[in-house]
Amino acid sequence: MISTDTDILSLAEAWARSGRGVALATVIETWGSAPRPVGSHLVIDDAGNFQGSVSGGCVEGAVVEEAAEVIGDGKARTLEFGVADETAWKVGLSCGGRIRVYVERIAAEKAN
């Protein structure tokens, strides 16, 4: 079982080295009630497999969907979910919290 953020980062690297398309989502800001702290990670591959957590529930579903786009076009994105946003109710943050998640594509290092 993956239990630490270090394990998530190692898994992201391993997936990328194996030839999978990989994205890494990282919580970069929280305000109010948020289920995961800043620095929490979720790794997603091009087949829709994922490990880790950035929030839970529908927020993670939305992050996984965006990660597929990031893997496809290589353009990093910052996502925001919160009560001021109409998507808050849709993704399960009706408790008053806000989170920002940075999603980036991970590429395997090339040997020199």
Side-chain angles (χ1 to χ4, degrees), residues 9-107:
L9 297 175
S10 295
L11 182 62
E13 182 180 20
W15 282 0
R17 284 188 178 179
S18 74
R20 297 183 190 188
V22 178
L24 180 68
T26 305
V27 176
I28 59 172
E29 180 182 19
T30 65
W31 176 84
S33 176
R36 299 286 295 147
V38 169
S40 297
H41 298 294
L42 177 68
V43 61
I44 307 97
D45 75 4
D46 53 3
N49 299 301
F50 59 92
Q51 290 284 337
S53 179
V54 292
S55 179
C58 297
V59 168
E60 288 192 344
V63 172
V64 169
E65 287 179 17
E66 285 291 326
E69 296 291 324
V70 169
I71 291 167
D73 66 21
K75 296 178 184 173
R77 293 163 174 71
T78 300
L79 312 174
E80 186 166 333
F81 303 94
V83 294
D85 182 34
E86 69 178 36
T87 61
W89 289 92
K90 292 179 189 173
V91 298
L93 282 177
S94 57
C95 56
R98 182 181 77 208
I99 64 170
R100 292 181 70 210
V101 179
Y102 183 72
V103 185
E104 61 189 316
R105 185 167 65 183
I106 301 299

